[in-house]
Amino acid sequence: MFENEKIYIAGPECFYANGPQLLKAMRCRAESLGFGVTLPNDHPLDMENALLQKRADSIFADLEKVMNDSTAIVADLESFRGSEPDSGTVYELGMAYARGIRCYGYTRDKRPLACKDQQYRLKDGVVYDEHGRPAAYKELPFCVCVVGSTKIVEGGFDDCLKALMTDLEEEYKRKGRTDQAPETAEIVLETAFSDSAPESGDAAYRQAASGAFSHRRPIAYLSGPERYEEGADALYKKMKEICREHGIEARTPLDETEDRAALKEGNPYTQAARLFERWQKQVRDCDLVIANLNDYRGYECSNDTGFECGMAHQLGKALYGYMDDAGPMKERVPHLGEENDFRDPAGCNVENFDYPLNLMFGCSMKIFEGRFEEAVKRVAEELGLR
C-alpha cells in the first residue's frame, strides 16, 4: 500500500556506538510495512580523502540526493548534548519542510519544556533558562519551528510509523470519496531548486548576486536566538544598522509584527503556528541568511536557527554563519579522546571533520569566527558589496 512512499530517517543515531544496528533495525521495520527508505550514506562516499572536510562534503552531497527522493521524514527529537534535539536533525527537518514533504517526529516525553527541563529555574514568578534569561517557548515540547512544521508523536520510531500510516490511509480514503475534491488530501511539493537556483555561498552565487545586487541591496534574514531575548527590538535595530552600513538590508524574526499582541494570547500551539508562519515567510523572501550558530542550550545552536538554515539551503538561499569560537568541533565538545573514537560522556561520537559544528552547517555555508559585526563585514566582502 505504501510502495510510493519513501521515508527519510533522521536522527543522531549515526553518532551512537550501536548506531548502524539501530538504523538497520529502523529501516527493516519501515520496509516490512511496505515503505521505501532513504538514508544518508546509502551510496559510496569519499571517506578516504586526506581532507576531513571533503569526507563531510561527500556525506552531505549524498544527504541532499536522498532527501530529494523522499516523500516523508521521520525524525528522532530526543534531546542531544543539551536540552533540545540534535541540530543536524532539525536542519534536515527544515530541508524537508522546504520540499513540502510530510514531517514527522517522535519523542518519549512530549510535555512542555517547563515540566521536563531540569535547568529551568523559577524566581519571582518568572521561569528562567540556564542562561538566566526568561525561558523561551516553555509551554511547548520543542522550539517554535519544530512545533510549527512537524507532527510530533509521543513514543518511538514505530509509534511514528503508525501515525504516518494512519494519516496516509485517511488520505487514500478521502481521494476515493465523491463528496469532496480529491486535491484537498494531496500534499503539493514545492520546486525547491530551479536550474538557475544558486548553491549557497559558492562562486556562481556571488557572480549572480553581484549583478542582481547592483540595482538593490541584498536582503538578509538574521537567524538566531536573539529573538527570545529581553530587549530584542533594540538589539535587532542595532543589527539592522550594522547591515545597512555594509550595503545589506536586514530582516528579523520580529519584523512584520503588527499583531504581536495577539501572539501573547490563546493556545501556545496556535501562537507557535503564527510565529512559524511569519518566520518561514521571512526565509522564503530573503536573498541570504546570516545565522548565529553559537551554542544555545547545550553544545548545539538554536533549533529554530538550525531549522531555518536547512530550509534556506533547500530553497537555494545563500547561507553564512558566525560563532565566537569556530574551531573544530572535536576541540569544542568534551570527549574521551581519539583512542575512544572521540566519544562524549554519553558515548556519542563527536564529529571529526574539521568543521566547528555538525556537518550540515559546515558543508552548506561559510562560518566566520567573531561577533556579528565582523561576520556582516565578511558577508559583504563575499557578495562584492565592498
Side-chain angles (χ1 to χ4, degrees), residues 112-183:
L113 285 166
C115 299
K116 61 184 180 181
D117 193 320
Q118 297 182 11
Q119 298 197 67
Y120 278 4
R121 296 291 180 267
L122 182 64
K123 182 179 179 181
D124 300 328
V126 179
V127 179
Y128 293 91
D129 65 15
E130 57 265 50
H131 301 289
R133 298 178 295 212
Y137 48 86
K138 63 183 182 296
E139 302 90 353
L140 301 171
F142 302 104
C143 75
V144 168
C145 285
V146 169
V147 171
S149 65
T150 304
K151 185 165 191 173
I152 302 169
V153 175
E154 188 164 68
F157 178 73
D158 204 52
D159 298 295
C160 212
L161 285 181
K162 292 175 182 176
L164 173 58
M165 290 166 63
T166 299
D167 290 345
L168 288 168
E169 290 160 0
E170 292 304 307
E171 287 184 16
Y172 300 156
K173 288 193 290 186
R174 282 196 294 269
K175 289 181 179 180
R177 293 176 185 151
T178 58
D179 58 347
Q180 66 176 6
E183 58 267 21

Side-chain angles (χ1 to χ4, degrees), residues 190-349:
E190 294 181 359
T191 302
F193 294 101
S194 66
D195 291 340
S196 60
E199 293 184 11
S200 56
D202 67 4
Y205 179 82
R206 294 196 296 276
Q207 183 177 2
S210 63
F213 300 151
S214 63
H215 303 291
R216 67 170 178 83
R217 291 173 179 264
I219 298 173
Y221 176 67
L222 308 183
S223 181
E226 295 85 1
R227 71 192 77 187
Y228 297 120
E229 292 187 13
E230 291 182 297
D233 288 288
L235 177 59
Y236 277 132
K237 181 179 179 181
K238 178 62 177 176
M239 294 170 77
K240 284 185 173 183
E241 291 172 356
I242 292 171
C243 287
R244 200 168 292 117
E245 290 171 2
H246 290 85
I248 298 170
E249 195 66 31
R251 300 286 184 269
T252 78
L254 299 191
D255 286 347
E256 299 180 13
T257 54
E258 294 84 358
D259 61 340
R260 281 173 67 186
L263 295 173
K264 300 180 183 297
E265 303 173 2
N267 186 286
Y269 277 78
T270 303
Q271 295 173 30
R274 288 173 178 166
L275 281 172
F276 175 67
E277 184 178 55
R278 176 171 300 125
W279 297 345
Q280 61 96 13
K281 183 178 185 299
Q282 295 282 17
V283 173
R284 294 180 191 278
D285 291 346
C286 73
D287 298 304
L288 61 137
V289 171
I290 302 176
N292 179 351
L293 299 178
N294 284 299
D295 293 341
Y296 180 50
R297 306 183 66 215
Y299 293 101
E300 299 283 312
C301 68
S302 159
N303 272 182
D304 286 309
T305 297
F307 183 95
E308 289 167 346
C309 286
M311 182 178 177
H313 175 77
Q314 186 72 16
L315 293 173
K317 311 294 182 177
L319 287 174
Y320 301 94
Y322 63 95
M323 303 175 68
D324 295 340
D325 179 2
M329 191 174 182
K330 68 178 182 180
E331 296 177 7
R332 295 194 316 103
V333 179
H335 56 77
L336 300 174
E338 185 173 4
E339 64 277 13
N340 291 296
D341 198 24
F342 299 106
R343 298 203 173 273
D344 67 15
C348 296
N349 175 263

